[in-house]
Amino acid sequence: MNELVFFINKGIFAGAIIGSIYALGAIGVTLIFGILRFAHFAHGDMMTLGAFVAYAMAAALAAAGVTAPLPLAMMMLPVVMLVTAGMAIGIDRAFYRPLRNAGARGIVLVMASIGVTLMLQGVIRLFAGPSSREMYFNERKDIFRIEVPGANQMITLTEPQIALFIVTAIAVVALHYFLSRSRLGKAMRAVSDNPSLAQVTGISIETVVRTTWIIGGGLAALAGTMLALDVSLKPDLSFNILLPIFAATIVGGIGQPYGAIAGGFVVGYAETLAVFNWSVLLRPIARMTDGAFEVPPSLAFVPTEYKLMVPFVLLIIILIYRPTGIFKGRVL
Amino acid sequence: MSLLEIRDLHAGYGQMMILKGVNLTLEEGEIGVIVGPNGAGKSTTLKAIFGMLNITAGSIHFDGRDITGMSPEKLAAHRIAMVPQEDNVFPTLTVHENLEMGAYTRRDDFSHVLDEIYALFPPLKDKRRQPAGELSGGQRQMVAFGRALMIEPKMILLDEPTAGLSPMYMSEIFDRVIAINKTGVTVAMVEQNAKQALAIAHKGFVLANGHNSYTDTGRALLDNPEVAKSFLGG
Ligand SMILES: Nc1ncnc2c1ncn2[C@@H]1O[C@H](COP(=O)(O)OP(=O)(O)OP(=O)(O)O)[C@@H](O)[C@H]1O
Ligand SMILES: [Mg+2]
């Protein structure tokens, strides 16, 4: 039984946690690609930016003596998302829009976004230094344990992890209703389908672009903050996350928001299960069969240090065998 | 006063000038047909009316107002709609959503217009929940028409509505154009199938080398031996 609990904690939950983060990031990347036709390399640092906005607000509130039933950074999430969305629009106005208006090709915008990534990293370090920080201020990180009969280990989830599942579910449902029911959401899909016809139809491309940044920036802030609450806030938060998010986007199908969600979880689980120590599950089977086979102490597909390889390999496999991704997206 | 009045229009893509003096007038309720060889600038003329390119000289007046270079968004408010030559539906949006997008600039209740369009194009009603990209060429053309009609336009610009359609669909589309025109909508249409199109036209324009070389009633152009010889294939 202990082994099963271990698998639930380290396999099922761990995959769902990182999968949610990837999904929230990949939705933004895929929407930006669908509307603006470029791969937004600064998306990881937009997450970091959002997390730092949350940190700054929580720190300010904590200093003012405010207390709340939930961690302050979590309480402030709606505001943090709005502020980050505003910053995303600002970045677009300052760096991407001038290029767009000058008729620059997609690759030029990709280059510009790499520039923005370097700039954001610099700015964040300038204000916050290179050290890692705790998102909790005089607050406890609540841990929820569920006892399992016949096991001395317990199923464990922390407060930010539960919150992450809840906000991800809300974000996905809200996005679905927005894209399938609202006038602006349908206009977004129309622009993604056929920008010149959208223009002929009288859809304001600028409004759609702004909406894209609001959703992309808001979800990036959400993912960044929740990740920082779960682990800790590091200025290089984005470094390990950008490749998996792009892999998730492509695996799901470029330009397909539902694909991005699926892709996020596929990449998250692939990564988690690749580094999972399978001998934990094999040992009881070996015991049951009276040691018919030998179980090595550690049996993972990929050593943990090489975790980042997993999305990369997945990406290559998808590009070779199904370049449109799961949900029939665009081909790069 | 004419509904549409284009005077000495010069326009092009960036530095490249394509239109060098197009003159075109349409009265309210007329069908105007623009014919001419490939690359003559027919599509370019429609795009210029629709504010999609750079106009260097000349003017476009609609209903007495200067609309030269006006954006598509504002033109919708003036009740002008356009059906482009290619890629004229949103392929992943359903038929119904395509029509709804046509009404994007409207803030009033447009459900009666939806009903009218489904009555005009009955096949669309059965396919309303299907993505437009999955329809046949002729049905896609109906979606494109329907989308444009959602603003209840005073004038509709059609760019080769029968291109690539079978003869059966072709006469069906021409019938629909006449039906739309009968409801009072002025039509400006570019057509490759020049003879059939001129036959339903009140006015015809032969465009060549960036300006109109012949302008007359549709009937007169059909009967003009020079036009017949150079542009209508004898
Ligand atoms: N987007 C564009 N950029 C640059 N030049 C263009 C563009 N579109 C068309 N042209 C050029 O403008 C000229 C006129 O093109 P236009 O599409 O108006 O022709 P057309 O009369 O509609 O021909 P067709 O019967 O083939 O549709 C052509 O020489 C074409 O190469
Ligand atoms: Mg053309």
Side-chain angles (χ1 to χ4, degrees):
Chain A
M1 245 8 230
N2 275 338
E3 289 81 2
L4 194 64
V5 171
F6 184 81
F7 180 68
I8 289 173
N9 283 338
K10 292 284 192 272
I12 303 206
F13 285 164
I17 289 159
I18 198 65
S20 304
I21 300 281
Y22 292 165
L24 291 175
I27 293 170
V29 170
T30 223
L31 288 177
I32 292 167
F33 194 95
I35 303 297
L36 295 154
R37 314 278 149 146
F38 78 100
H40 187 229
F41 271 85
H43 212 70
D45 284 290
M46 212 164 247
M47 289 186 175
T48 321
L49 187 68
F52 268 96
V53 171
Y55 174 85
M57 283 185 188
L61 287 177
V66 178
T67 56
L70 285 172
L72 289 168
M74 216 182 276
M75 296 291 294
M76 294 306 290
L77 264 176
V79 185
V80 171
M81 288 169 72
L82 276 179
V83 170
T84 313
M87 288 171 159
I89 292 173
I91 289 172
D92 181 62
R93 294 263 158 95
F95 302 104
Y96 305 138
R97 189 162 77 173
L99 290 171
R100 224 169 32 238
N101 291 347
R105 285 182 308 145
I107 188 67
V108 177
L109 282 144
V110 170
M111 290 305 173
S113 79
I114 293 173
V116 168
T117 243
L118 296 173
M119 182 196 73
L120 285 179
Q121 289 186 2
V123 169
I124 288 167
R125 281 187 176 74
L126 193 67
F127 285 100
S131 60
S132 118
R133 286 153 199 274
E134 262 306 312
M135 294 286 273
Y136 286 79
F137 300 89
N138 321 315
E139 295 158 328
R140 265 182 324 113
K141 194 186 275 195
D142 291 327
I143 298 176
F144 301 93
R145 297 189 177 83
I146 305 166
E147 284 197 46
V148 180
N152 43 22
Q153 286 197 24
M154 282 184 273
I155 294 178
T156 326
L157 271 179
T158 65
E159 179 186 60
Q161 290 168 350
I162 293 169
L164 172 65
F165 294 149
I166 295 171
V167 294
T168 305
I170 294 173
V172 167
V173 172
L175 183 76
H176 169 72
Y177 276 97
F178 174 73
L179 290 175
S180 63
R181 300 287 159 84
S182 77
R183 173 175 172 266
L184 194 52
K186 288 177 204 172
M188 243 174 112
R189 285 162 54 215
V191 172
S192 172
D193 256 16
N194 190 338
S196 70
L197 184 63
Q199 201 193 352
V200 168
T201 307
I203 294 170
S204 157
I205 308 284
E206 267 310 308
T207 307
V208 168
V209 166
R210 213 178 312 128
T211 312
T212 308
W213 286 114
I214 290 173
I215 298 174
L219 294 183
L222 187 62
T225 307
M226 296 312 293
L227 184 63
L229 277 163
D230 184 29
V231 191
S232 69
L233 176 57
K234 300 193 208 95
D236 63 351
L237 192 76
S238 71
F239 181 76
N240 288 316
I241 220 171
L242 192 64
L243 178 62
I245 284 176
F246 271 90
T249 307
I250 295 167
V251 166
I254 299 165
Q256 300 287 354
Y258 302 116
I261 297 162
F265 284 99
V266 167
V267 173
Y269 271 110
E271 233 182 61
T272 309
L273 298 180
V275 300
F276 184 76
N277 184 4
W278 291 95
S279 39
V280 175
L281 285 185
L282 289 178
R283 247 176 255 138
I285 300 173
R287 244 182 281 130
M288 270 184 273
T289 54
D290 281 325
F293 56 96
E294 192 97 355
V295 179
S298 164
L299 186 72
F301 291 109
V302 177
T304 315
E305 312 89 81
Y306 294 107
K307 192 156 125 185
L308 205 52
M309 235 181 62
V310 177
F312 205 67
V313 171
L314 204 59
L315 188 60
I316 290 169
I317 293 173
I318 274 282
L319 286 177
I320 292 173
Y321 293 104
R322 198 183 161 92
T324 56
I326 306 171
F327 276 66
K328 282 228 195 106
R330 295 200 176 84
V331 178
L332 277 182
Chain B
M1 193 177 33
S2 307
L3 185 72
L4 177 69
E5 219 172 307
I6 302 179
R7 266 189 243 117
D8 195 33
L9 188 69
H10 287 67
Y13 303 92
Q15 298 297 322
M16 192 166 53
M17 296 308 293
I18 305 291
L19 304 182
K20 294 160 242 165
V22 172
N23 289 283
L24 198 153
T25 52
L26 277 182
E27 307 303 320
E28 190 166 352
E30 282 186 330
I31 298 178
V33 168
I34 306 171
V35 298
N38 290 108
K42 305 183 298 290
S43 297
T44 307
T45 304
L46 294 193
K47 286 187 211 163
I49 300 172
F50 223 65
M52 291 162 77
L53 44 93
N54 187 11
I55 294 172
T56 47
S59 67
I60 307 169
H61 283 78
F62 180 75
D63 217 0
R65 266 171 300 215
D66 189 354
I67 58 158
T68 317
M70 195 178 268
S71 73
E73 227 176 314
K74 296 227 181 72
L75 291 170
H78 284 88
R79 311 250 306 271
I80 307 178
M82 163 147 134
V83 180
Q85 182 171 354
E86 287 159 334
D87 297 327
N88 51 21
V89 299
F90 299 111
T92 73
L93 268 60
T94 65
V95 168
H96 195 75
E97 287 171 335
N98 265 273
L99 298 181
E100 284 178 330
M101 281 299 104
Y104 184 82
T105 52
R106 291 182 76 141
R107 291 312 209 139
D108 55 343
D109 177 25
F110 52 78
S111 48
H112 64 284
V113 192
L114 277 169
D115 295 339
E116 282 167 28
I117 288 169
Y118 284 132
L120 187 64
F121 302 111
L124 297 189
K125 184 144 197 177
D126 307 326
K127 310 238 165 184
R128 52 192 294 177
R129 304 253 164 263
Q130 212 166 312
E134 291 176 3
L135 304 186
S136 72
Q139 291 168 339
R140 268 209 300 271
Q141 202 58 264
M142 293 179 192
V143 175
F145 271 45
R147 198 216 82 240
L149 291 173
M150 285 303 294
I151 57 167
E152 296 179 276
K154 285 186 189 158
M155 179 171 78
I156 185 165
L157 311 175
L158 306 173
D159 197 347
E160 298 198 19
T162 65
L165 297 185
S166 67
M168 191 194 82
Y169 260 131
M170 207 162 87
S171 45
E172 168 137 14
I173 291 286
F174 280 137
D175 286 348
R176 290 292 175 276
V177 171
I178 295 170
I180 291 165
N181 176 250
K182 287 257 164 65
T183 66
V185 182
T186 306
V187 178
M189 175 165 70
V190 170
E191 257 302 328
Q192 287 285 358
N193 299 303
K195 282 185 186 166
Q196 291 96 319
L198 286 174
I200 65 164
H202 302 102
K203 236 180 234 162
F205 308 87
V206 179
L207 210 67
N209 302 319
H211 65 272
N212 36 334
S213 35
Y214 297 91
T215 305
D216 214 327
T217 63
R219 192 70 255 159
L221 284 179
L222 281 173
D223 294 340
N224 183 327
E226 271 176 74
V227 172
K229 189 162 141 275
S230 352
F231 299 106
L232 305 178

